[in-house]
Amino acid sequence: MKRMRKIDKIIVHCSATPEGRAVSVDDIRRWHRERGFRTIGYHYVVYLDGSIHCGRPVEEIGAHCLGQNGSSIGICYVGGLDAKSLLPKDTRTAEQRQSLRRLVDRLRKCFPGATVHGHREFAAKACPCFDIKDL
């Protein structure tokens, strides 16, 4: 087993895909590999139905937030864009909202002191397309 790294941040992202469009871990892995990543950059992905899927192992440094990867866990929910305009929008389903809250709560218990952030706090992006205080 790999030694656990120090985690001090949990960073929430969106997949920047239209509302209602199903996206899988394999889809994101393919997109990230096309961008030159070794594998998917996120540690967890929350599907439209609220199911939580593992991406990169938590013990491994992610590739989801420039300058923050070494000590953070990256969570991505599927969605984030309005289906018609493709503008940023909080598209989380009720199931995604519940699962995101549960996952973040669980991770905060595993990593006491870890703070929760939206990707936009570290990059000039709308991601995750909602105010993290509304998690």
Side-chain angles (χ1 to χ4, degrees):
M1 179 184 223
K2 293 181 183 180
R3 184 185 153 155
M4 193 57 205
R5 58 200 174 90
K6 179 178 175 7
I7 302 297
D8 62 9
K9 289 179 208 69
I10 299 162
I11 302 175
V12 180
H13 303 260
C14 66
S15 62
T17 52
E19 184 172 15
R21 177 176 158 199
V23 171
S24 71
V25 167
D26 288 337
D27 292 329
I28 298 172
R29 181 178 291 115
R30 186 178 69 253
W31 300 340
H32 285 184
R33 291 187 76 178
E34 287 169 358
R35 291 176 53 199
F37 297 7
R38 180 180 55 77
T39 188
I40 188 170
Y42 307 116
H43 297 96
Y44 296 97
V45 179
V46 181
Y47 286 13
L48 297 172
D49 66 1
S51 59
I52 299 168
H53 300 262
C54 293
R56 194 177 281 223
V58 172
E59 297 84 7
E60 289 184 20
I61 293 174
H64 58 91
C65 188
L66 190 62
Q68 303 299 320
N69 291 316
S71 62
S72 68
I73 293 175
I75 302 170
C76 177
Y77 79 91
V78 173
L81 298 180
D82 181 81
K84 291 183 181 156
S85 70
L86 299 183
L87 292 173
K89 177 184 176 186
D90 182 359
T91 64
R92 292 174 297 158
T93 64
E95 295 86 358
Q96 283 176 311
R97 288 173 189 268
Q98 184 178 39
S99 292
L100 273 168
R101 260 193 307 273
R102 266 196 332 259
L103 177 57
V104 167
D105 287 347
R106 188 175 81 218
L107 290 170
R108 290 186 76 200
K109 285 179 184 158
C110 292
F111 304 101
T115 53
V116 182
H117 304 270
H119 185 201
R120 67 185 181 193
E121 293 177 48
F122 305 104
K125 298 175 180 257
C127 179
C129 302
F130 69 91
D131 188 332
I132 203 68
K133 289 181 237 129
D134 297 333
L135 185 64

